[in-house]
Amino acid sequence: MNGIHEHILEILYSEEDLAAMCQRIAREIERDYAGKEVLLIAVLKGSFVFMADLARQLNIPCSVEFMAVSSYGNGMSTSGEVCVKKDLDCQIAGRDIIIVEDILDSGVTLSYLKKLLTARGPASIRIATLLDKPERRKTDIYADYVGTVIPNKFIVGYGLDYAEQYRNLPYIGVLKPEYYS
Ligand code: IMP
Ligand code: MG
């Protein structure tokens, strides 16, 4: 059988590594939001796996919402333009919100989103990202909660795609060069 695991050159973060990151971030959020109710807003599609694991680790009242934005085509570098493909279904004025992202790369997507949501008057707004590639940053944005800082490599798995594939890998890895077309 020629499954997707055979497309992977190297595993960077195992399922256990990723679970530990989710647990640590959940403890940080619980500490910071003690006695509050938080609204987690996942940025589709890449954040769906992280959101699911993070939310299940959180032992405080929370609700979840989803937005879809895009700044990338099918490729590996940002177009610099962001468009909202799916907006929130709820009001966020006066609420404590955390934007949940898979990866903070150039920062173009999150800068845009943070500005957009801040204008709607939440009580507070923070960012949780599983992965942070600070070397690639083009805008002045940081995350309040970070799973791990990673080197400037293109990675897939655990929600992250290459041409919409590999989101279902349970770990994060690097593709063999022959699979980048
Ligand atoms: P930014 O606007 O450049 O920060 O882009 C963030 C988005 O780019 C993420 O939500 C991902 O969808 C995508 N992205 C950035 N780096 C990678 C990567 O290494 N693998 C897969 N997708 C990536
Ligand atoms: Mg993507």
Side-chain angles (χ1 to χ4, degrees):
M1 194 190 79
N2 189 15
I4 55 173
H5 297 294
E6 284 148 54
H7 296 202
I8 299 299
L9 179 68
E10 184 194 359
I11 295 179
L12 297 181
Y13 303 102
S14 67
E15 291 187 64
E16 292 73 26
D17 296 335
L18 296 165
M21 291 176 205
C22 289
Q23 281 169 22
R24 181 179 44 78
I25 293 175
R27 298 297 86 79
E28 292 171 7
I29 292 174
E30 287 165 359
R31 184 197 60 208
D32 294 348
Y33 292 82
K36 292 183 178 170
E37 190 181 321
V38 69
L39 171 63
L40 302 177
I41 300 178
V43 188
L44 295 172
K45 301 174 201 168
S47 307
F48 81 106
V49 182
F50 176 44
M51 172 71 138
D53 284 348
L54 179 65
R56 284 179 294 178
Q57 284 296 330
L58 269 186
N59 186 20
I60 54 168
C62 86
S63 31
V64 298
E65 285 290 335
F66 297 89
M67 278 186 85
V69 298
S70 78
S71 74
Y72 273 39
N74 268 346
M76 295 162 60
S77 63
T78 184
S79 64
E81 264 171 63
V82 182
C83 77
V84 175
K85 292 182 159 178
K86 181 209 173 300
D87 206 337
L88 294 172
D89 298 322
C90 68
Q91 304 287 328
I92 59 169
R95 303 178 71 176
D96 293 301
I97 68 176
I98 300 178
I99 303 175
V100 177
E101 254 287 24
D102 49 356
I103 185 165
L104 182 50
D105 186 33
S106 72
V108 171
T109 312
L110 269 180
S111 298
Y112 173 86
L113 205 58
K114 194 173 181 188
K115 206 185 284 175
L116 182 83
L117 296 181
T118 299
R120 297 181 188 177
S124 69
I125 179 164
R126 285 190 174 169
I127 293 171
T129 188
L130 180 67
L131 306 167
D132 188 3
K133 273 188 194 168
E135 275 176 60
R136 300 250 306 166
R137 206 74 92 252
K138 288 187 196 151
T139 60
D140 181 24
I141 187 136
Y142 68 93
D144 303 277
Y145 306 99
V146 177
T148 187
V149 171
I150 60 165
N152 185 12
K153 281 187 187 176
F154 193 83
I155 50 161
V156 296
Y158 199 76
L160 290 148
D161 72 305
Y162 172 64
E164 293 301 327
Q165 298 291 307
Y166 308 107
R167 294 192 195 274
N168 56 323
L169 287 171
Y171 50 78
I172 286 176
V174 181
L175 279 181
K176 292 178 182 166
E178 61 265 38
Y179 293 102
Y180 294 111
S181 47

